[in-house]
Amino acid sequence: MKLNFAKRMSSIKASEIREILKVTEQEDVISFAGGLPAPELFPIEEINEVNQIVLKEAGTKALQYTTTEGYAPLREWIAKRMNERLGTLLDKDNILITHGSQQGLDLSGKVFLDEGDVVLCESPTYLAAISAFKSYGCNFIEIPTDEHGMDMNILEDVLSHTGNIKLIYVIPTFQNPTGKTWNLERRRKLAELSAQYNVPVIEDNPYGELRFEGETLPSVKSFDAVGNILCTGSFSKIFCPGFRIGWIAGDKDIIRKYVLVKQGTDLQCNTIAQMVIAEYLKRYDIDKHIGKIVEVYRKRRDVAVKCIECYFPEGIKFTHPEGGLFTWIELPEGISARDILEKCLEKKIAFVPGGSFYPNENKENTFRINYSNMPEEKIKKGLQIIGEVIQEYIHEIK
Ligand code: PMP
């Protein structure tokens, strides 16, 4: 018998990345596809040690239900870290621990979006944020970006002419998929516009700690004069993603609403995972650990950028990220990255075509390269092959 699924299921498609990742599970594939951190940098021994300490010292508390808001010492650490690095003024009651920052996005949809509401986002933007918000029946308006971030004139124009705008979703630091970082003026301006038009902002920041060069910039949240801005963060890229521990920070009244919807979703995050992270932060120097990650990724970024310059044909644009995990390639108009991917997969090289990072239009001449998850030799080999495939493709269609 045919079942009647919820209307939202018709808008939910299999993620292209998840499908490509199935191919990349084969050992001999060189994958630029996922956003995976380098597993050799996970602090396994330290986690093992801290895990035992937590079980010994906290005992059954570590295995018991806990509050929805999350483990208080961890929330305190997060508030302090954000205040020191991002210029915010938060305390633990501004923080809700979430199942990765991804849950912060889904709960934002639950808290703010009704069917037919409008979400404004960068064009292109993070694929799984599109899926999370789409399941609440919203429509997207994409706002163009340049190398300094979202175009604030267009944003203001859209804000002043469009009804039903319920959220602005942005990734101002080392954006996924483009690797771009917004400058200070755009951050300040976004906070001003959010206040002026009374539209909340979700500032998604899972990569901000991974800066290879230049100064750390204050968050959009630090310019929040009225309490409209929510900021997500995550331990996925600075510790390990398998714990699925992230957070959302915001005005206390708004965070209380998130707590209510989280109760209906999963009651709370994993107790022992939160305690292990808090204990790790107490016993180890996370900055030293992040320093190691940054050093490895910086070298991989350098190799990736050099290879793109060297092996890709002229006329191809790409971003030069100052941090994070990705660079973004723009092929000449009329060339489909999906066609290039097909040929690359035959040669056991994978990446994600850019089309699915646009919620409305399909710009098919773009693709994303992740450089964090592979040794330098493989990055070189893989990008050389992609470069050759593009050369051949351009030659064939001429
Ligand atoms: N936001 C962005 C922009 C991402 O790229 C990701 C995935 N890496 C997430 C949120 C979710 O990450 P996590 O749930 O592991 O914190």
Side-chain angles (χ1 to χ4, degrees), residues 18 35-37 98-105 125-129 169-171 173-177 204-207 232-237 240-242 244-247 325-326 368:
R18 301 267 147 221
L36 304 186
T98 54
H99 217 86
S101 49
Q102 185 66 35
Q103 187 179 46
L105 304 180
T125 190
Y126 171 48
L127 180 55
Y169 170 69
V170 294
I171 313 150
T173 309
F174 318 138
Q175 202 239 16
N176 182 2
D204 193 10
N205 187 29
Y207 304 109
T232 69
S234 179
F235 287 102
S236 291
K237 307 301 186 308
C240 57
R244 306 306 303 126
I245 297 292
W247 65 89
L325 268 54
F326 308 107
R368 188 189 75 176

Side-chain angles (χ1 to χ4, degrees), residues 95-217:
I95 310 291
L96 168 68
I97 304 292
T98 54
H99 217 86
S101 49
Q102 185 66 35
Q103 187 179 46
L105 304 180
D106 183 56
L107 296 182
S108 300
K110 236 177 178 171
V111 168
F112 287 108
L113 298 178
D114 289 313
E115 196 142 345
D117 285 342
V118 174
V119 174
L120 307 185
C121 65
E122 291 156 294
S123 179
T125 190
Y126 171 48
L127 180 55
I130 300 175
S131 328
F133 297 145
K134 226 181 211 172
S135 69
Y136 295 96
C138 69
N139 299 312
F140 292 89
I141 297 181
E142 298 173 44
I143 311 292
T145 58
D146 60 25
E147 69 273 25
H148 303 300
M150 190 181 258
D151 185 318
M152 288 295 123
N153 292 327
I154 298 179
L155 175 66
E156 184 156 19
D157 191 47
V158 171
L159 281 166
S160 62
H161 288 104
T162 317
N164 268 7
I165 298 175
K166 293 293 270 301
L167 270 187
I168 305 172
Y169 170 69
V170 294
I171 313 150
T173 309
F174 318 138
Q175 202 239 16
N176 182 2
T178 62
K180 289 177 185 174
T181 295
W182 295 29
N183 68 16
L184 197 66
E185 285 68 39
R186 304 264 176 114
R187 289 166 190 250
R188 186 179 287 126
K189 185 71 187 172
L190 176 60
E192 277 172 29
L193 290 175
S194 157
Q196 186 182 336
Y197 289 91
N198 199 30
V199 179
V201 171
I202 308 297
E203 177 184 19
D204 193 10
N205 187 29
Y207 304 109
E209 296 262 5
L210 303 180
R211 179 172 277 282
F212 310 149
E213 60 239 346
E215 291 284 302
T216 299
L217 291 166

Side-chain angles (χ1 to χ4, degrees), residues 23-88:
V23 181
T24 64
E25 273 165 12
Q26 298 162 24
E27 277 285 302
D28 52 346
V29 169
I30 298 181
S31 175
F32 299 100
L36 304 186
E40 64 273 25
L41 295 168
F42 296 158
I44 295 183
E45 278 171 28
E46 293 86 339
I47 291 173
N48 188 19
E49 182 203 315
V50 167
N51 200 32
Q52 289 181 35
I53 293 169
V54 167
L55 279 173
K56 203 161 163 213
E57 291 183 359
T60 53
K61 268 196 188 151
L63 303 173
Q64 187 54 282
Y65 284 118
T66 184
T67 59
T68 306
E69 288 83 349
Y71 186 50
L74 187 62
R75 289 157 63 215
E76 273 157 21
W77 184 90
I78 291 164
K80 187 161 171 275
R81 181 84 175 177
M82 288 185 70
N83 295 345
E84 283 167 6
R85 288 184 55 89
L86 302 173
T88 51

Side-chain angles (χ1 to χ4, degrees), residues 283-308:
R283 288 176 181 264
Y284 290 95
D285 181 354
I286 185 96
D287 288 311
K288 201 165 144 202
H289 181 61
I290 294 171
K292 271 195 230 161
I293 300 174
V294 164
E295 206 179 301
V296 172
Y297 292 0
R298 185 196 294 117
K299 283 193 197 140
R300 291 180 183 181
R301 186 276 319 262
D302 287 345
V303 170
V305 163
K306 225 187 232 161
C307 290
I308 293 166

